[in-house]
Amino acid sequence: VKADAMSSVGHDAGMTDDSTTGPVVGFYDIVVVGGGAAGMSAAKIAARSRRSVLVVDAGSPRNAPAEGVHNYLYAEGKTPTELAAIGRAEAAGYGVEIAAGVATSAGVTPTPAPGDARFTVTIDGRRRVAARRLLLATGLVDELPEIPGLRERWGKDVLHCPFCHGWEVRDQSIGVLSTGPMAAYQTLLFRALSEDVVVFTHTGPAPTDEQREQFAALGVRVVDGEVAAVQTADGRLSAVVMANGRVIERQAVVVTTGSSARTDLIDDLGLDMSDLEVAGQVLGRYLSVDPTGATTTAGVWAAGNLTSPALQVIDSAAGGAAAGAAMHRNLLDEDTAIAVAAHRRRAAVRS
Ligand SMILES: Cc1cc2nc3c(=O)[nH]c(=O)nc-3n(C[C@H](O)[C@H](O)[C@H](O)COP(=O)(O)OP(=O)(O)OC[C@H]3O[C@@H](n4cnc5c(N)ncnc54)[C@H](O)[C@@H]3O)c2cc1C
């Protein structure tokens, strides 16, 4: 069941303006902001139930620096670019429209007429589209410790996640850069992959007696003092340089990244963020959602790293799929109510 206006492109749904004036140039059941694993998965599942879907995507996924995507069953080792192209093609095959650009602002009509659009989204500050439901899947931005040389090697041999790329550095000489309480557990996770692990206490807390005993039992060396830089040789990370000038050869360095959810439309939509705290360390602010991805703002769903930094590609795709299905069911309830009301009006005229 579809509302009449649903597929009409160029229909102005009588929205409150967001920051951009000008006509609405497209009207969709669902607009998805962010075309990574979460957003594209939601778009595909909704389109396969014949929903009109637009994905607005700026094209910079979180894992862009990585050479391959791991742990995504059936597609092991494909590059992020290859995987994104497959996702776009699969979604487009079911009629999903994809707009390259940045969603710069959003407008909300809190109580739209049944079947009408509740949201407008402005793309690149000039084009506006309208949507009955909105999915935010904008991901997050990683913040690296400010150490010369780290950024250049990020995603290659400067790593954060043992599950994403630990296997690729197995048996190598690994250094764990401590900047907070997470580092001790990261050390154990990477020790499972290599016998040669060094913890650099850097700006993190001194290891507890229990942690020192664990490190000693596992042959993990602790190097106290601040790290000044990481060095590269022949296009690979080669060593960690301490502030006192000592150079310690390493092939990979593990960091704890800070991260901030990409919040471009959060304020416009009145969404609440909450701190995510792990082991006493605030890792960033994220959108809270229910198991279907619904936020506390009616009509807005969210999925992927915007809701948690720990989600891998497969989790993000799963969250997107759950949200896509939930948005379709939510629209279906509204469409069925519209159809029943029209049916009753017709029946009343006949009787
Ligand atoms: C270096 C590195 C390597 C990783 N390797 C792996 C791995 O091997 N395996 C694994 O499972 N996970 C890996 N991850 C984690 C993985 O990147 C995330 O799980 C995944 O990207 C989350 O998907 P997402 O759809 O939530 O966000 P993203 O993939 O980040 O996609 C978000 C999209 O939204 C777009 N966007 C943001 N704001 C806007 C806006 N306002 N308007 C329009 N578009 C917007 C972005 O440009 C981007 O295209 C890695 C992470 C990093 C940092």
Side-chain angles (χ1 to χ4, degrees), residues 194 208 316:
S194 170
T208 62
S316 304

Side-chain angles (χ1 to χ4, degrees), residues 172-188:
Q172 294 188 12
S173 57
I174 298 172
V176 178
L177 181 76
S178 175
T179 50
M182 295 273 292
Y185 201 62
Q186 268 184 319
T187 302
L188 302 185

Side-chain angles (χ1 to χ4, degrees), residues 63-64 66-69 75-86:
N63 57 356
E67 282 158 9
V69 178
E76 179 61 33
K78 290 201 181 299
T79 67
T81 311
E82 283 171 335
L83 218 54
I86 292 170

Side-chain angles (χ1 to χ4, degrees), residues 208-244:
T208 62
D209 290 345
E210 184 189 5
Q211 287 162 349
R212 282 193 188 274
E213 187 182 30
Q214 290 171 344
F215 295 160
L218 294 166
V220 171
R221 283 169 292 145
V222 179
V223 174
D224 292 318
E226 289 208 15
V227 168
V230 297
Q231 281 181 342
T232 53
D234 300 327
R236 287 204 53 85
L237 191 143
S238 59
V240 169
V241 184
M242 306 300 294
N244 64 10

Side-chain angles (χ1 to χ4, degrees), residues 33-39 56-63 65-66 68-71 101-103 137-140 142 154-155 160 164-165 262 264 303-306 311-314 316:
V33 182
V56 185
D57 187 32
S60 50
R62 179 186 180 197
N63 57 356
V69 178
H70 305 288
N71 288 335
V102 177
T138 48
L140 62 77
D142 290 286
W154 171 233
H160 72 303
C164 297
H165 25 219
R262 288 193 178 115
D264 311 28
N305 276 166
L306 179 62
L311 302 184
Q312 292 198 283
V313 175
I314 201 158
S316 304

Side-chain angles (χ1 to χ4, degrees), residues 137-161:
T138 48
L140 62 77
V141 179
D142 290 286
E143 292 150 7
L144 291 173
E146 289 291 332
I147 292 180
L150 274 188
R151 182 158 299 283
E152 293 79 352
R153 301 304 308 160
W154 171 233
K156 298 176 176 66
D157 32 33
V158 171
L159 316 167
H160 72 303
C161 166

Side-chain angles (χ1 to χ4, degrees), residues 6-329:
M6 203 173 290
S7 57
S8 63
V9 172
H11 163 87
D12 189 331
M15 304 292 299
T16 55
D17 271 357
D18 57 26
S19 60
T20 304
T21 54
V24 169
V25 297
F27 181 23
Y28 300 88
D29 289 330
I30 297 170
V31 167
V32 174
V33 182
M40 217 42 105
S41 174
K44 177 179 160 183
I45 200 167
R48 280 176 50 82
S49 282
R50 310 200 71 177
R51 292 291 166 193
S52 57
V53 184
L54 174 74
V55 177
V56 185
D57 187 32
S60 50
R62 179 186 180 197
N63 57 356
E67 282 158 9
V69 178
H70 305 288
N71 288 335
Y72 194 79
L73 199 65
Y74 312 121
E76 179 61 33
K78 290 201 181 299
T79 67
T81 311
E82 283 171 335
L83 218 54
I86 292 170
R88 280 196 299 273
E90 286 184 8
Y94 295 105
V96 171
E97 292 177 40
I98 300 166
V102 177
T104 43
S105 59
V108 189
T109 299
T111 49
D116 264 357
R118 186 183 286 266
F119 306 103
T120 52
V121 173
T122 301
I123 305 169
D124 291 335
R126 41 196 170 80
R127 280 186 295 154
R128 277 199 311 160
V129 292
R132 296 172 68 196
R133 301 293 180 271
L134 195 57
L135 175 76
L136 300 183
T138 48
L140 62 77
V141 179
D142 290 286
E143 292 150 7
L144 291 173
E146 289 291 332
I147 292 180
L150 274 188
R151 182 158 299 283
E152 293 79 352
R153 301 304 308 160
W154 171 233
K156 298 176 176 66
D157 32 33
V158 171
L159 316 167
H160 72 303
C161 166
F163 306 109
C164 297
H165 25 219
W167 175 264
E168 283 60 45
V169 296
R170 67 194 182 283
D171 295 331
Q172 294 188 12
S173 57
I174 298 172
V176 178
L177 181 76
S178 175
T179 50
M182 295 273 292
Y185 201 62
Q186 268 184 319
T187 302
L188 302 185
L189 287 165
F190 277 89
R191 175 61 185 80
L193 293 153
S194 170
E195 291 183 357
D196 184 358
V197 176
V198 170
V199 190
F200 296 96
T201 58
H202 189 52
T203 58
T208 62
D209 290 345
E210 184 189 5
Q211 287 162 349
R212 282 193 188 274
E213 187 182 30
Q214 290 171 344
F215 295 160
L218 294 166
V220 171
R221 283 169 292 145
V222 179
V223 174
D224 292 318
E226 289 208 15
V227 168
V230 297
Q231 281 181 342
T232 53
D234 300 327
R236 287 204 53 85
L237 191 143
S238 59
V240 169
V241 184
M242 306 300 294
N244 64 10
R246 191 175 160 204
V247 175
I248 298 162
E249 289 187 1
R250 294 288 91 185
Q251 292 169 290
V253 165
V254 176
V255 295
T256 306
T257 55
S259 58
S260 46
R262 288 193 178 115
T263 55
D264 311 28
L265 307 180
I266 302 290
D267 290 344
D268 293 353
L269 297 167
L271 293 164
D272 288 330
M273 311 283 287
S274 47
D275 281 346
L276 180 80
E277 196 177 308
V278 178
Q281 190 174 7
V282 174
L283 292 185
R285 285 177 71 68
Y286 293 89
L287 257 186
S288 305
V289 290
D290 79 3
T292 73
T295 69
T296 49
T297 296
V300 181
W301 272 256
N305 276 166
L306 179 62
T307 65
S308 167
L311 302 184
Q312 292 198 283
V313 175
I314 201 158
D315 310 306
S316 304
M327 286 189 290
H328 167 60
R329 287 196 301 268

